[in-house]
Amino acid sequence: RIKASGLKLRFCTNETQATREQFVRKLQGFGFDISVDEVTAPAPAACRVLRERGLRPHLLVHDDLIPEFAGIDTTNPNCVVLGDAADNFTYANLNEAFRVLIGLENPVLISLGRGRYYKETDGLKLDVGAYMKALEYACDVQAEVVGKPAKRFFESALAELGVQPQEAVMVGDDIENDVGGAQRCGMRAVQVRTGKYR
Amino acid sequence: RIKASGLKLRFCTNETQATREQFVRKLQGFGFDISVDEVTAPAPAACRVLRERGLRPHLLVHDDLIPEFAGIDTTNPNCVVLGDAADNFTYANLNEAFRVLIGLENPVLISLGRGRYYKETDGLKLDVGAYMKALEYACDVQAEVVGKPAKRFFESALAELGVQPQEAVMVGDDIENDVGGAQRCGMRAVQVRTGKYR
C-alpha cells in the first residue's frame, strides 16, 4: 500500500543472522513485495567501513552471514567484526576474537548492532551487544557500532532514498534502536506496538 | 620463612576454577607449606553472602568449583553466581544464566571476580569479568563482585587473621586486584614483578 501511494520505502534491519537475500526471501514468504536493493542492513554497512579504511576483519558472525563479506580481505586481520553469531559464540571463538583484538597495536572492534537480547520461539537469547561489551571490557576498547541505532546507518538509508531526514518517517517496534536512533538523526519516528513491543 | 618468623599468613586467591582443596594440593606440590584454612577465596565468600541474604543461586561456574557450593540451596534460583566457567561458557549456558537473571523481579548477579583476561599455556583467555559485563549489559544490572579487589574480601581475610588493615601487608603480582584492592582497604601492599607482571 505504501508503494502504491508513490512513497519511497526502505527496510532498515539489524538482521545479522542471514544475508539480505535470505532476509528478503523470508519476507516474500510472508507476502511482502520486497527486493534486496530496498534493504539497508549492518553487514553491507560494515563492508563499506572496512573498504574505506583498509581494514581486514577477523569475523565472528553467523555462518549464514559470511556471504555478505565476499570480496573482503580477511587475511592477517587488523580488526574484529562482531555480529550475532548465535551458535558460533563458543568459548573457543570468543577467546580467538579476543586474542586477535588484544594483539592489535590499534584495536578496532566493529559491532553489527548493540542489541541486548531478542526473543526466539525457544526463549530469550543474548544479542550481539552483550558480547560486544565483553570484548570492550577485556580489551579496554570502545566498539564502533554499525546498524541501528547508529546515526550513520540511518543516514545511509536516507542517502539511498535521496531524501532529507525531515522528509522521512521511521516505523519500528524498538524504542531505542528504531525510534531513538531515527529521532537523533532528525527523522520522525513511529513506535508500533507489535513485534517485540511489550 | 614467614611462618617461622611468627608472622600471621593468609593466601588470598581469586581462583575459581578449583576448590580450595585442589588449590592447596597444587601449591603443596610446588613445596608450599599451606593448608585449606589459610586460604581466602571467592567461592566461600559468595556462600557467606548467599546464606546471609537467603539467596538461591543459579551457578555458572567451573565444574571443579561446584563442591564449594555443597549445602547451598540451588532450587528455584533468585540470583546468578558467575565464576570463571571456562569451557562451561557455552552459548547455551550463557543464555540460560541470562534468562534466569532477566526473569527475576529483583535481579542479583554475584561475580567471583572482575578480571579481564588471564594467560594459560595455550594463550590468553577471557576472564569472568568479560562475561560479567555481558550479563550486566543484557539485564541492565550491576554485578556484586566478591573476591579481589572487593573491599569486603580483604576485610574477611583480615578478620580471619584477627588483625587491623594497618598491621597487614598484601603481596601480589596484580596492580589492580592485589595492590589497589588492599590499599583501598587501608593496607600496605607490595607489587612483585613475577607471575603475570609485565
Side-chain angles (χ1 to χ4, degrees), chain B residues 161-197:
Chain B
L161 287 172
V163 302
Q164 296 297 312
Q166 63 274 16
E167 299 176 291
V169 175
M170 173 73 192
V171 179
D173 64 358
D174 188 308
I175 186 74
E176 169 55 25
N177 283 327
D178 298 332
V179 176
Q183 287 176 339
R184 278 193 293 276
C185 224
M187 299 166 69
R188 291 197 176 197
V190 174
Q191 163 83 53
V192 294
R193 299 193 184 184
T194 51
K196 75 168 124 176
Y197 179 85

Side-chain angles (χ1 to χ4, degrees), chain B residues 46 50 54-62 65-66 69 72-83 85 88-104 107-112 135:
Chain B
L50 296 170
L55 292 170
R56 300 178 305 275
H58 171 89
L59 298 172
L60 178 48
V61 300
H62 198 284
L65 194 68
I66 297 284
F69 294 90
I72 296 283
D73 181 7
T74 57
T75 59
N76 189 19
N78 57 6
C79 76
V80 169
V81 169
L82 187 70
N88 278 345
F89 279 135
T90 63
Y91 181 58
N93 285 349
L94 282 164
N95 280 330
E96 194 187 352
F98 158 67
R99 274 182 224 126
V100 168
L101 197 58
I102 197 121
L104 296 174
V108 174
L109 174 61
I110 295 175
S111 187
L112 306 179
L135 290 177

Side-chain angles (χ1 to χ4, degrees), chain A residues 86-87 89-91 94-95 98-99 102 114-118 122-126 129-131 133-135 137-138 140, chain B residues 86-87 89-91 94-95 98-99 102 114-118 122-126 129-131 133-135 137-138 140:
Chain A
D87 290 325
F89 280 135
T90 63
Y91 181 59
L94 281 164
N95 280 329
F98 158 68
R99 274 182 224 127
I102 197 123
R114 54 181 303 123
R116 294 169 187 267
Y117 59 89
Y118 56 89
D122 57 341
L124 296 176
K125 304 271 175 86
L126 287 170
Y131 294 95
K133 286 290 170 184
L135 291 178
Y137 178 71
D140 198 18
Chain B
D87 290 326
F89 279 135
T90 63
Y91 181 58
L94 282 164
N95 280 330
F98 158 67
R99 274 182 224 126
I102 197 121
R114 55 182 300 126
R116 295 168 187 269
Y117 59 88
Y118 55 89
D122 57 341
L124 296 176
K125 304 269 174 84
L126 288 169
Y131 293 95
K133 287 290 170 184
L135 290 177
Y137 178 71
D140 199 17

Side-chain angles (χ1 to χ4, degrees), chain A:
Chain A
R1 204 144 50 146
I2 291 174
K3 286 189 175 180
S5 75
L7 290 169
K8 290 178 179 176
L9 182 62
R10 192 96 198 155
F11 296 88
C12 296
T13 177
N14 267 10
E15 176 64 62
T16 64
Q17 286 202 6
T19 59
R20 283 165 295 171
E21 281 73 13
Q22 294 167 317
F23 172 75
V24 160
R25 269 203 301 277
K26 187 173 149 193
L27 286 187
Q28 286 170 341
F30 291 146
F32 285 90
D33 172 18
I34 177 177
S35 66
V36 167
D37 55 6
E38 292 172 304
V39 176
T40 301
C47 287
R48 275 196 299 276
V49 171
L50 295 170
R51 285 203 186 89
E52 281 168 18
R53 287 159 54 185
L55 292 170
R56 299 177 305 275
H58 171 88
L59 297 173
L60 179 48
V61 300
H62 198 284
D63 284 345
D64 291 346
L65 194 68
I66 298 284
E68 291 278 17
F69 294 91
I72 296 284
D73 181 7
T74 57
T75 59
N76 189 19
N78 57 6
C79 75
V80 168
V81 169
L82 188 69
D84 177 21
D87 290 325
N88 278 345
F89 280 135
T90 63
Y91 181 59
N93 285 348
L94 281 164
N95 280 329
E96 193 187 351
F98 158 68
R99 274 182 224 127
V100 169
L101 197 57
I102 197 123
L104 296 174
E105 200 178 336
N106 175 30
V108 174
L109 174 60
I110 295 175
S111 187
L112 307 180
R114 54 181 303 123
R116 294 169 187 267
Y117 59 89
Y118 56 89
K119 196 173 183 173
E120 288 201 331
T121 45
D122 57 341
L124 296 176
K125 304 271 175 86
L126 287 170
D127 199 358
V128 59
Y131 294 95
M132 174 188 88
K133 286 290 170 184
L135 291 178
E136 281 188 341
Y137 178 71
C139 299
D140 198 18
V141 296
Q142 182 101 38
E144 304 174 29
V145 178
V146 297
K148 298 181 282 186
K151 200 173 173 197
R152 195 186 152 120
F153 188 72
F154 288 102
E155 288 170 346
S156 290
L158 292 169
E160 287 155 356
L161 288 170
V163 302
Q164 296 297 312
Q166 63 273 17
E167 298 175 293
V169 175
M170 173 73 193
V171 179
D173 63 359
D174 188 307
I175 186 75
E176 169 53 26
N177 283 328
D178 298 332
V179 175
Q183 286 176 338
R184 279 192 293 278
C185 223
M187 297 165 71
R188 290 197 177 198
V190 174
Q191 163 84 53
V192 295
R193 298 192 185 185
T194 52
K196 75 168 123 177
Y197 180 84
R198 61 173 187 177

